[in-house]
Amino acid sequence: MNEVDEKFYETYGKKTKIREYQGSGKKILGSFCSYTPEEIIHAAGLVPIRIFGERTDMEEVNTHVSSWICYYARRCLEDGLQGDYEFLDGIVSVTSDDTNMPMYSIWKKEVGANYAYLVQLPFAINETAIKFYTKILKKFKRSLEEFYSVKITDQRLKDSIKTYNRSRALLRELYDLRMSMSPKISASDTLKIMLASYSMLKEEFNDLLEGYIADLKESEPLNDEKIRVHVSGTVLHDVELLEIIEGCGVDIVSDDLCTGSRYFSFNVDETYEPIEALSRGYLSSKTTCMTCSRQGVYPLDERLSYIRDQVKASGADGVIILGDKGCDLCAYGLPTMRKELGKDIPILYLDVDFPLAAEQYKTRVEAFVESIKG
Amino acid sequence: MEKQEVNHLGFGKFFGPTYKKHLTRQKEFLERGRPCGWYFGYHPAEMNYVFDVVNIFPEQYSAYCASRGDSGNMIDDYLSMGYGSFLCDYFKCSVGAIDKPEVATKPLMPKPDFTVDHHTICLGHRQMAEVHARMYGVPRFSLTFPYLRKEDIGSFDDITKVTERMDEDVLEYAVSILHEFASFLKKMTGEEMDEDKFKSVMKTSEETTKHFTDVLKLFMSKPTPGSQRDLANFPFIGFFIHGSEYGLEYVKKCHELIKERVKKREGIVQDEKFRLITHGIMPWHTLALYDYMEELGATFPLNPYANCSAVLHDSKRPFESMARRMSNFCNVEHEGMLDALVKKAKEADVDGAILFENTGCRIVSLVMRPIRDALHEELGIPSLIVEAPQCDPRAMPVERMKTQIEAFLESLE
Ligand code: SF4
Ligand code: SF4
């Protein structure tokens, strides 16, 4: 077992830390979106984790949702219905899209949760929206305080914000090492670390990651010369898929995944009153799923410009878009994205379907690599 | 199963002249160079009549294309552009129509000067609007009302949208967005808002919504007084033209007809065998499906989709009234939404439900199974879920739908 698997991936795959926290009486809350203001949950002394579905055979879920809904939602619900998340005390979701909102309700009823809260997004980015979202977050804080009989003081919030900012900074550092001209870490290993960040308390994760980054800096780069690629998509947690791509002579050097750079692309300004700081921070993210946007701006332009910046910074030779046909957030913008990005850089679109058709993906990625090599 | 004659109320005969007036207004305004907006979602339609903008509704255009049998070609073109199958049928048709006007139903929609999207039916609307705005390179305004939790409103009436309470922060935010919207329209038209006109449009709207909501309430009478064909044009009025004189005229006439029929205790069929809920966007390409069900003695006193387009206004509180559109069935978390539905189902005294799952529409499809379960758990009544994309006749052949429906009705007997 390599170091990443041992230190990080086990915490996700075997839920080692979660079991440990549970054993010490801590309550675990699961969320469905990168927009969830985890800092507030953390400041309440609870453990925020992200829900992912591991199963690919859909049995129970088809009784509750249509078969064409995104894989993320269906797999989460399947695992929930099969009892894989019985350790959760509650769930928190945000109103980020037409799938996430009903998924929250369906989970609440069919899987069950002692505590359930839906955080309402303002869908806009401006001062009025920030003010509104601050109030929404205050209500969320009050709800946690009442339900769990805790006092979330400003100091606790500030500490949590600091911890999360530190986490985001470390993840950026890790990504830089992946992005360098001689990458020191693969994307599949990076994803394993990301998954660990969703499966343990951030302070512990930070300590682990800090040590790991220090070692990584001293290590030799991954040696072989490969094609450099940016990966675009939403929620990806299937390490195997990245391994298939990497196995075709590709270094994935940047991404705009929800489970990747989008998760840490913003910072929370610690000079504001803490809840307002969170409101400003989360709404400042330029990499939204287009759910909150500025008036007068096409959200897709913002996403495209984020991808272009990433591609420029990473020196990627191509972009691989990982699509889920059931994800409307991606699907509405997909042809435009392909067209616009395709003007500057070769694009490969892969339809992500389960079980993963490894051979088919391999053939397509290999052909893409060959076409880039010319 | 034995067939009966369906005695429609005949709302349809009023609609032709109403729609003609709407088109005439659009034509005249276009000739006068008034700005043209494309509207996506359940927007405060009144503002269009205050600012005299040409109001175009791509969804309604798509439904029209489907009813004319043209949507297949438009959807094929949409697919050839690289879009996926699991998006809204309305979007498919309107994008196809822009890309390949030669296959689209005429008259085409006039080009927009701006788009407006509103998210209380679905968040998909904002993405649809963005795609269309980009296609034409025009500005876009988003009415970003929040999604509601049950705690924000308590219980609510599915028809009037009157809520037990309203969270102050949510209301304040929604009202502020409406003011921003007014500023946007000022910018688009280059004109100030005429306060007198605003008052008068809101008065018209108030009157319209009174008639409108009453018609929907009367629909729940026993026996069911109207058919789904009668109701088919209601969403157009409710979603798009509240505030217009011609909309008011239409609902007034409909109201008179239905009142008369309810007074006489007449139904659409002699022998009302099953009183059912129908939900989901109507399959516009085959409204005859409703005729078929009604001929078999199934009537629909309750249609939450049509109810979505209803709201009761209070012209003394114009902005709050417009904000009330937030508390519609699609914008409230399932718990609240299902409570409202079960309450109405009890009032309407229904025996079951036929639910149309619109492939590609998440907000509608993801509520179908929860509705089925709630009706079963709370009222012990069964539901049939039929896959029915609202504009694509090829995805689910009508004959197959009929077979499923007939078997369901037989099981109810
Ligand atoms: S963003 Fe896409 S993948 Fe995520 S929940 Fe929504 S539809 Fe599913
Ligand atoms: S049919 Fe569904 S996806 Fe399409 S506009 Fe209506 S609610 Fe939205």
Side-chain angles (χ1 to χ4, degrees), chain B residues 36-48:
Chain B
C36 172
W38 281 20
Y39 289 81
F40 298 82
Y42 193 12
H43 63 289
E46 293 81 3
M47 298 299 275
N48 299 325

PDB file of all heavy atoms in Angstrom, chain B residues 36-48:
ATOM      1  N   CYS B  36     -38.130  43.775 -26.963  1.00  0.00           N
ATOM      2  CA  CYS B  36     -38.714  42.430 -26.876  1.00  0.00           C
ATOM      3  C   CYS B  36     -37.922  41.582 -25.876  1.00  0.00           C
ATOM      4  O   CYS B  36     -36.700  41.472 -25.968  1.00  0.00           O
ATOM      5  CB  CYS B  36     -38.648  41.813 -28.277  1.00  0.00           C
ATOM      6  SG  CYS B  36     -39.110  40.088 -28.312  1.00  0.00           S
ATOM      7  N   GLY B  37     -38.660  41.026 -24.916  1.00  0.00           N
ATOM      8  CA  GLY B  37     -37.996  40.169 -23.919  1.00  0.00           C
ATOM      9  C   GLY B  37     -38.456  38.733 -24.064  1.00  0.00           C
ATOM     10  O   GLY B  37     -39.621  38.479 -24.346  1.00  0.00           O
ATOM     11  N   TRP B  38     -37.530  37.819 -23.883  1.00  0.00           N
ATOM     12  CA  TRP B  38     -37.900  36.397 -23.833  1.00  0.00           C
ATOM     13  C   TRP B  38     -37.937  36.001 -22.367  1.00  0.00           C
ATOM     14  O   TRP B  38     -36.946  36.201 -21.642  1.00  0.00           O
ATOM     15  CB  TRP B  38     -36.879  35.554 -24.591  1.00  0.00           C
ATOM     16  CG  TRP B  38     -37.061  35.586 -26.083  1.00  0.00           C
ATOM     17  CD1 TRP B  38     -37.738  36.524 -26.814  1.00  0.00           C
ATOM     18  CD2 TRP B  38     -36.544  34.632 -27.018  1.00  0.00           C
ATOM     19  NE1 TRP B  38     -37.679  36.214 -28.144  1.00  0.00           N
ATOM     20  CE2 TRP B  38     -36.951  35.050 -28.304  1.00  0.00           C
ATOM     21  CE3 TRP B  38     -35.780  33.472 -26.907  1.00  0.00           C
ATOM     22  CZ2 TRP B  38     -36.612  34.355 -29.464  1.00  0.00           C
ATOM     23  CZ3 TRP B  38     -35.444  32.787 -28.057  1.00  0.00           C
ATOM     24  CH2 TRP B  38     -35.867  33.214 -29.329  1.00  0.00           C
ATOM     25  N   TYR B  39     -39.046  35.436 -21.973  1.00  0.00           N
ATOM     26  CA  TYR B  39     -39.256  35.135 -20.547  1.00  0.00           C
ATOM     27  C   TYR B  39     -39.235  33.637 -20.291  1.00  0.00           C
ATOM     28  O   TYR B  39     -39.922  32.885 -20.964  1.00  0.00           O
ATOM     29  CB  TYR B  39     -40.588  35.745 -20.080  1.00  0.00           C
ATOM     30  CG  TYR B  39     -40.498  37.244 -19.997  1.00  0.00           C
ATOM     31  CD1 TYR B  39     -40.631  38.026 -21.136  1.00  0.00           C
ATOM     32  CD2 TYR B  39     -40.219  37.872 -18.789  1.00  0.00           C
ATOM     33  CE1 TYR B  39     -40.503  39.401 -21.072  1.00  0.00           C
ATOM     34  CE2 TYR B  39     -40.087  39.254 -18.721  1.00  0.00           C
ATOM     35  CZ  TYR B  39     -40.227  40.005 -19.873  1.00  0.00           C
ATOM     36  OH  TYR B  39     -40.085  41.362 -19.803  1.00  0.00           O
ATOM     37  N   PHE B  40     -38.461  33.271 -19.309  1.00  0.00           N
ATOM     38  CA  PHE B  40     -38.331  31.868 -18.932  1.00  0.00           C
ATOM     39  C   PHE B  40     -38.809  31.712 -17.493  1.00  0.00           C
ATOM     40  O   PHE B  40     -38.241  32.308 -16.580  1.00  0.00           O
ATOM     41  CB  PHE B  40     -36.870  31.409 -19.036  1.00  0.00           C
ATOM     42  CG  PHE B  40     -36.326  31.489 -20.437  1.00  0.00           C
ATOM     43  CD1 PHE B  40     -35.854  32.692 -20.948  1.00  0.00           C
ATOM     44  CD2 PHE B  40     -36.312  30.369 -21.246  1.00  0.00           C
ATOM     45  CE1 PHE B  40     -35.377  32.776 -22.234  1.00  0.00           C
ATOM     46  CE2 PHE B  40     -35.830  30.444 -22.543  1.00  0.00           C
ATOM     47  CZ  PHE B  40     -35.363  31.647 -23.039  1.00  0.00           C
ATOM     48  N   GLY B  41     -39.848  30.909 -17.311  1.00  0.00           N
ATOM     49  CA  GLY B  41     -40.286  30.646 -15.941  1.00  0.00           C
ATOM     50  C   GLY B  41     -41.414  31.542 -15.506  1.00  0.00           C
ATOM     51  O   GLY B  41     -41.945  32.356 -16.268  1.00  0.00           O
ATOM     52  N   TYR B  42     -41.760  31.364 -14.239  1.00  0.00           N
ATOM     53  CA  TYR B  42     -42.963  31.979 -13.666  1.00  0.00           C
ATOM     54  C   TYR B  42     -42.666  33.402 -13.212  1.00  0.00           C
ATOM     55  O   TYR B  42     -42.576  33.674 -12.038  1.00  0.00           O
ATOM     56  CB  TYR B  42     -43.388  31.098 -12.494  1.00  0.00           C
ATOM     57  CG  TYR B  42     -44.759  31.344 -11.942  1.00  0.00           C
ATOM     58  CD1 TYR B  42     -45.681  32.136 -12.611  1.00  0.00           C
ATOM     59  CD2 TYR B  42     -45.146  30.750 -10.752  1.00  0.00           C
ATOM     60  CE1 TYR B  42     -46.933  32.337 -12.088  1.00  0.00           C
ATOM     61  CE2 TYR B  42     -46.398  30.946 -10.223  1.00  0.00           C
ATOM     62  CZ  TYR B  42     -47.290  31.739 -10.894  1.00  0.00           C
ATOM     63  OH  TYR B  42     -48.520  31.935 -10.372  1.00  0.00           O
ATOM     64  N   HIS B  43     -42.522  34.280 -14.171  1.00  0.00           N
ATOM     65  CA  HIS B  43     -42.107  35.651 -13.865  1.00  0.00           C
ATOM     66  C   HIS B  43     -43.316  36.509 -13.497  1.00  0.00           C
ATOM     67  O   HIS B  43     -44.459  36.149 -13.806  1.00  0.00           O
ATOM     68  CB  HIS B  43     -41.395  36.240 -15.075  1.00  0.00           C
ATOM     69  CG  HIS B  43     -42.292  36.337 -16.266  1.00  0.00           C
ATOM     70  ND1 HIS B  43     -42.716  35.226 -16.967  1.00  0.00           N
ATOM     71  CD2 HIS B  43     -42.898  37.394 -16.858  1.00  0.00           C
ATOM     72  CE1 HIS B  43     -43.512  35.609 -17.937  1.00  0.00           C
ATOM     73  NE2 HIS B  43     -43.651  36.912 -17.897  1.00  0.00           N
ATOM     74  N   PRO B  44     -43.074  37.657 -12.889  1.00  0.00           N
ATOM     75  CA  PRO B  44     -44.193  38.578 -12.619  1.00  0.00           C
ATOM     76  C   PRO B  44     -44.622  39.245 -13.919  1.00  0.00           C
ATOM     77  O   PRO B  44     -44.136  40.313 -14.290  1.00  0.00           O
ATOM     78  CB  PRO B  44     -43.589  39.582 -11.640  1.00  0.00           C
ATOM     79  CG  PRO B  44     -42.116  39.472 -11.826  1.00  0.00           C
ATOM     80  CD  PRO B  44     -41.798  38.149 -12.395  1.00  0.00           C
ATOM     81  N   ALA B  45     -45.543  38.605 -14.610  1.00  0.00           N
ATOM     82  CA  ALA B  45     -45.926  39.028 -15.957  1.00  0.00           C
ATOM     83  C   ALA B  45     -46.449  40.465 -15.997  1.00  0.00           C
ATOM     84  O   ALA B  45     -46.333  41.154 -17.012  1.00  0.00           O
ATOM     85  CB  ALA B  45     -46.993  38.078 -16.484  1.00  0.00           C
ATOM     86  N   GLU B  46     -47.000  40.912 -14.868  1.00  0.00           N
ATOM     87  CA  GLU B  46     -47.594  42.250 -14.827  1.00  0.00           C
ATOM     88  C   GLU B  46     -46.609  43.327 -15.301  1.00  0.00           C
ATOM     89  O   GLU B  46     -47.002  44.304 -15.946  1.00  0.00           O
ATOM     90  CB  GLU B  46     -48.033  42.594 -13.395  1.00  0.00           C
ATOM     91  CG  GLU B  46     -49.177  41.758 -12.861  1.00  0.00           C
ATOM     92  CD  GLU B  46     -48.740  40.395 -12.332  1.00  0.00           C
ATOM     93  OE1 GLU B  46     -47.526  40.115 -12.333  1.00  0.00           O
ATOM     94  OE2 GLU B  46     -49.614  39.600 -11.940  1.00  0.00           O
ATOM     95  N   MET B  47     -45.340  43.131 -14.971  1.00  0.00           N
ATOM     96  CA  MET B  47     -44.356  44.171 -15.275  1.00  0.00           C
ATOM     97  C   MET B  47     -44.238  44.426 -16.785  1.00  0.00           C
ATOM     98  O   MET B  47     -43.916  45.526 -17.216  1.00  0.00           O
ATOM     99  CB  MET B  47     -42.982  43.791 -14.704  1.00  0.00           C
ATOM    100  CG  MET B  47     -42.967  43.649 -13.199  1.00  0.00           C
ATOM    101  SD  MET B  47     -43.404  45.168 -12.354  1.00  0.00           S
ATOM    102  CE  MET B  47     -41.817  45.972 -12.303  1.00  0.00           C
ATOM    103  N   ASN B  48     -44.528  43.407 -17.580  1.00  0.00           N
ATOM    104  CA  ASN B  48     -44.469  43.581 -19.039  1.00  0.00           C
ATOM    105  C   ASN B  48     -45.542  44.540 -19.523  1.00  0.00           C
ATOM    106  O   ASN B  48     -45.371  45.236 -20.515  1.00  0.00           O
ATOM    107  CB  ASN B  48     -44.668  42.239 -19.745  1.00  0.00           C
ATOM    108  CG  ASN B  48     -43.593  41.266 -19.364  1.00  0.00           C
ATOM    109  OD1 ASN B  48     -42.454  41.670 -19.163  1.00  0.00           O
ATOM    110  ND2 ASN B  48     -43.944  39.999 -19.236  1.00  0.00           N
TER     111      ASN B  48
END
